[in-house]
Amino acid sequence: MEIRSTLTAAITGWIQDFENDFGSDFCVFDMQDDYEKKIADQQHLFKGLNWVWNGSMSIQQQEGNSSVGEFGSEDGDKKIGDQYLNWVWNSTMSFQQEEGNFEINEILVPNDDFNGFGIGNRLSIGGFVSNDEGKGLEDCKGVFCDGSEGGAPNDALFFALGYLGVKDLLAVERVCRSLRDAVRGDPLLWRSIHIEQTLSRRINDDDLLKLTGRAQGTLECLSLVGCLKITDDGLKRVLESNRRLTKLRVPECTRLSVEGILFNLRAFRSAGSPGIKQLRIGGCFGVTEEQFKELKLLLGVDKPMQLGAQKPQFFRQGHLHLMRDDDRAIDIEVCPRCEKLKLVYDCPSESCRRTHHAAELCRACIICIARCIHCGCCLKDCDYEETFTLDFLCFDCWKQIFNREEKPEVMGASSSKHTIFHQETRYQLCFYR
Amino acid sequence: MSMAAVETKKITLRTADNHEFEVEEAIAMEFSTIKTFFDENPDASEDTIPLPNVTSKCLSAIIEYCKSHLAFRARETSSSIDEQVRTYDEEFVKARDNESLKELILAANYLNIKALLDMLNQAVADRIKNKSVEYVRRFFGLENDYTPEEEAAIRAENEWAFEGVDPDDD
């Protein structure tokens, strides 16, 4: 009798039925018909056989033993080595045995012509080691993982990894080993590192060093927004081992200092690295004129920035670091009105964009020209409201926000309301109604 | 196709499941793999191109996508066109389950269609962004192959990033 197909069905059924049954001493094959009884008679052989779904499996060949797995049958040696052993996986598979070699022997299957197992889905080949001594299956532990299709889904998933941010990459590496290896081992994923929002409050110097280390020296762009725990020293260590860095963004990192940044830029220069070409430091560093001169020198800015090359920068609270980035070397400049070194904003309102002259007049830091926190327009031609947090909202934006909120069903999905509120949270606005 | 467009050259593609698709040359040229092939073998345009790694289901979806995007591009650029493109892309992905997304990604990679690949990868990334570890596992049908010790170690290593987040929320 050939039990191949039946055993196939059996093992398929068995694997499907077996769910985290850690405590069982044996597995009962979900077999059909009269085989059931025969297998049941052999149950003692499965004592101590614990099949644990553990997601990984590798069958290792041990030297010195027979090179193929043998499942004993009533008729003596039936090799399964040249049969394909089909298991459903997703990643590697390892048979772990409590002591010594893996032993599977003498599962007495009531069969003459035992050709192998199939488990339905796509599989990989394994070879069992067996021991010639006919021991039972006691204390044999195996781990399986249930996979859907073997390698293919992982390939597709690996492509998508490059589209994830740091936090999601760290979550993904906890999923399984192959993903961990992919996330940690691929420097391309770490060539451009952005730390923002929830991570920025938590990351410290050591964590940053570890993360940047994954780029294996190829880090090109580092963006730290509001990373309150990062110190000058920590940044220094990161930059020491990442000489290929060309873009550095550190707005709102209150423990950093301009001197620290200058130190790093000088170190790059003396090491002969191409050096950082773009620096974003935001508005909270007090930069003196002299420091500004040296910064420009070290960034390689030897001529005045051409206005044409710069994109207009609009004020959007909460999105300071996401402003339309262009190729300018440094984000701060001399405010045309107060002549201090600040972030200078352009005006998106139509009247101010009508002529070049009007546009020039409406360029200044946020202290010199107050702006709507939502659209960035100056307030000279419109009504505005002052919010609870002492920011300004022009009347159009105010209407937009509150009209939507009042009539969500008219506007369609209520998610738009939530989006706005969510944005407002980031804008640090609190609207109480 | 209308008789007026009789000049349009057609290229025949044969999928893994032996379906043949006739597509306009312009669409076939969106597939960089095929474009490169024709650049190097200009006489081969009459032959049927075998695509052993692409199923007919995938190919027909991809052809639809390329057709639509070509049509969008033929119109003048404007923000409303951008909006329509965005909506089209969202709809394209929304109805598909994870399995078909994965297949499409592999097919788009094989055919080397950059825009589609970008869009699909971004869609997959969006589906797993900000989700718990368990969700990602279930999403991709992956099993946890860590030993308890390894799992504890990796959890501790990345603790700082996930403080206060319950990993098994959903």
Side-chain angles (χ1 to χ4, degrees):
Chain A
M1 297 172 277
E2 216 182 77
I3 68 159
R4 171 176 35 189
S5 51
T6 316
L7 202 55
T8 303
I11 297 212
T12 310
W14 165 51
I15 298 250
Q16 283 168 358
D17 290 342
F18 183 79
E19 283 183 39
N20 293 326
D21 196 5
F22 294 93
S24 64
D25 284 342
F26 55 84
C27 288
V28 179
F29 282 114
D30 180 19
M31 296 197 77
Q32 300 164 8
D33 304 323
D34 49 342
Y35 290 117
E36 216 163 11
K37 181 179 179 309
K38 293 183 181 173
I39 290 292
D41 288 343
Q42 315 299 342
Q43 276 175 9
H44 65 278
L45 287 176
F46 293 90
K47 215 187 318 177
L49 175 66
N50 290 323
W51 299 102
V52 175
W53 292 99
N54 207 7
S56 102
M57 162 97 96
S58 73
I59 302 179
Q60 289 158 357
Q61 195 110 14
Q62 305 275 352
E63 271 141 2
N65 290 325
S66 47
S67 60
V68 291
E70 294 178 24
F71 265 65
S73 79
E74 284 174 348
D75 289 344
D77 295 335
K78 284 296 172 201
K79 299 196 177 198
I80 62 169
D82 53 311
Q83 312 306 333
Y84 50 100
L85 182 68
N86 291 331
W87 305 103
V88 178
W89 310 136
N90 232 346
S91 39
T92 53
M93 197 165 126
S94 63
F95 256 83
Q96 289 163 2
Q97 175 120 15
E98 288 232 305
E99 323 141 357
N101 302 329
F102 174 75
E103 294 165 1
I104 274 194
N105 204 356
E106 291 197 19
I107 297 180
L108 294 180
V109 281
N111 218 354
D112 299 332
D113 188 17
F114 169 54
N115 279 335
F117 309 42
I119 291 193
N121 299 353
R122 243 199 296 148
L123 321 165
S124 50
I125 295 190
F128 277 28
V129 168
S130 83
N131 179 310
D132 287 330
E133 288 171 29
K135 278 162 61 172
L137 285 170
E138 279 137 74
D139 291 336
C140 173
K141 288 192 167 83
V143 297
F144 289 93
C145 86
D146 171 22
S148 41
E149 283 176 359
N154 281 355
D155 292 342
L157 173 50
F158 292 152
F159 287 133
L161 290 180
Y163 293 74
L164 292 174
V166 173
K167 184 160 188 198
D168 294 306
L169 283 173
L170 293 178
V172 155
E173 76 177 25
R174 289 164 70 182
V175 168
C176 65
R177 284 185 187 154
S178 56
L179 279 176
R180 177 198 61 191
D181 296 339
V183 166
R184 290 189 177 185
D186 186 1
L188 279 179
L189 290 176
W190 302 97
R191 196 156 281 184
S192 175
I193 296 180
H194 292 263
I195 308 284
E196 52 188 1
Q197 297 181 333
T198 47
L199 286 188
S200 46
R201 290 193 301 276
R202 298 182 186 145
I203 192 170
N204 62 24
D205 291 339
D206 291 330
D207 300 323
L208 182 64
L209 192 61
K210 262 196 256 172
L211 282 186
T212 52
R214 292 178 183 192
Q216 296 171 30
T218 63
L219 183 65
E220 285 177 3
C221 171
L222 181 61
S223 171
L224 305 170
V225 180
C227 295
L228 307 175
K229 294 189 183 179
I230 301 296
T231 64
D232 282 325
D233 194 54
L235 187 61
K236 182 171 86 130
R237 278 188 291 153
V238 167
L239 297 189
E240 269 166 7
S241 37
N242 287 288
R243 291 290 187 204
R244 291 201 229 165
L245 193 69
T246 54
K247 291 190 199 177
L248 179 62
R249 278 201 206 122
V250 290
E252 296 161 51
C253 296
T254 50
R255 291 180 74 177
L256 295 180
S257 67
V258 184
E259 270 312 312
I261 294 173
L262 278 169
F263 177 90
N264 285 311
L265 290 179
R266 287 180 210 128
F268 266 54
R269 176 163 272 219
S270 50
S273 317
I276 295 174
K277 293 287 174 248
Q278 283 185 33
L279 180 64
R280 302 284 177 265
I281 56 177
C284 64
F285 293 101
V287 182
T288 66
E289 280 215 31
E290 212 170 285
Q291 287 170 329
F292 189 58
K293 252 197 323 200
E294 192 181 357
L295 278 174
K296 284 200 290 184
L297 180 69
L298 291 169
L299 291 168
V301 181
D302 48 7
K303 45 181 184 270
M305 287 182 276
Q306 291 147 1
L307 283 179
Q310 294 176 171
K311 292 189 201 148
Q313 298 295 330
F314 301 137
F315 176 66
R316 292 225 204 289
Q317 184 75 17
H319 286 276
L320 290 176
H321 53 286
L322 292 177
M323 292 199 300
R324 295 148 72 185
D325 208 0
D326 53 19
D327 290 333
R328 64 180 78 187
I330 190 167
D331 51 348
I332 56 172
E333 56 184 285
V334 177
C335 171
R337 290 204 184 179
C338 61
E339 294 184 358
K340 298 206 181 118
L341 286 161
K342 293 279 181 81
L343 285 172
V344 170
Y345 298 101
D346 299 280
C347 190
S349 77
E350 287 204 25
S351 53
C352 293
R353 284 198 299 180
R354 210 161 284 148
T355 65
H356 181 70
H357 181 66
E360 280 303 297
L361 275 183
C362 204
R363 287 194 87 236
C365 70
I366 195 62
I367 307 290
C368 294
I369 297 183
R371 297 188 177 279
C372 169
I373 207 179
H374 193 251
C375 66
C377 286
C378 64
L379 304 172
K380 69 174 195 288
D381 284 336
C382 59
D383 286 337
Y384 59 89
E385 293 281 339
E386 194 170 356
T387 69
F388 185 77
T389 47
L390 307 180
D391 298 306
F392 296 108
L393 259 189
C394 73
F395 198 54
D396 287 336
C397 292
W398 179 274
K399 268 192 310 189
Q400 203 184 36
I401 291 171
F402 284 99
N403 274 350
R404 278 191 171 184
E405 202 221 350
E406 276 163 11
K407 300 172 195 169
E409 65 279 4
V410 172
M411 297 308 296
S414 60
S415 59
S416 56
K417 168 180 75 171
H418 295 150
T419 308
I420 289 175
F421 265 91
H422 187 58
Q423 283 176 337
E424 290 168 12
T425 312
R426 284 194 270 133
Y427 292 163
Q428 297 160 4
L429 294 175
C430 307
F431 288 103
Y432 295 96
R433 292 184 45 84
Chain B
M1 302 308 301
S2 73
M3 292 313 290
V6 82
E7 296 296 335
T8 319
K9 192 140 128 211
K10 295 283 182 63
I11 312 259
T12 314
L13 307 169
R14 190 189 309 123
T15 61
D17 43 352
N18 266 322
H19 284 231
E20 291 202 352
F21 287 79
E22 238 188 22
V23 293
E24 289 178 17
E25 191 179 17
I27 296 182
M29 292 300 126
E30 291 287 293
F31 309 167
S32 296
T33 309
I34 293 190
K35 180 170 188 305
T36 313
F37 174 75
F38 279 139
D39 286 344
E40 292 169 1
N41 302 284
D43 308 323
S45 55
E46 296 302 320
D47 305 340
T48 304
I49 312 258
L51 301 175
N53 291 359
V54 186
T55 61
S56 52
K57 184 162 152 241
C58 276
L59 188 61
S60 67
I62 289 177
I63 290 174
E64 273 313 306
Y65 180 88
C66 291
K67 239 191 231 169
S68 308
H69 272 249
L70 272 175
F72 283 129
R73 265 183 271 154
R75 291 148 75 179
E76 267 189 35
T77 350
S78 74
S79 59
S80 81
I81 295 286
D82 289 344
E83 186 62 41
Q84 287 179 37
V85 169
R86 255 195 304 273
T87 313
Y88 177 86
D89 285 350
E90 274 171 24
E91 291 299 322
F92 188 83
V93 219
K94 200 158 70 162
R96 298 186 197 274
D97 63 5
N98 298 335
E99 276 314 305
S100 16
L101 273 190
K102 292 175 209 169
E103 275 186 43
L104 280 172
I105 287 179
L106 293 175
N109 178 59
Y110 174 73
L111 295 170
N112 198 356
I113 311 168
K114 187 175 185 310
L116 178 59
L117 196 53
D118 272 345
M119 196 269 287
L120 291 172
N121 279 324
Q122 188 64 59
V124 169
D126 289 342
R127 285 191 185 187
I128 60 177
K129 268 182 186 159
N130 289 327
K131 292 290 198 292
S132 69
V133 177
E134 199 45 52
Y135 183 95
V136 178
R137 272 196 200 122
R138 276 185 271 130
F139 182 87
F140 288 106
L142 297 170
E143 283 293 326
N144 182 358
D145 59 351
Y146 286 124
T147 64
E149 295 79 22
E150 282 176 328
E151 180 142 29
I154 203 171
R155 215 174 172 119
E157 255 185 83
N158 293 340
E159 187 78 52
W160 64 271
F162 296 101
E163 285 167 357
V165 175
D166 175 21
D168 294 330
D169 257 348
D170 45 4

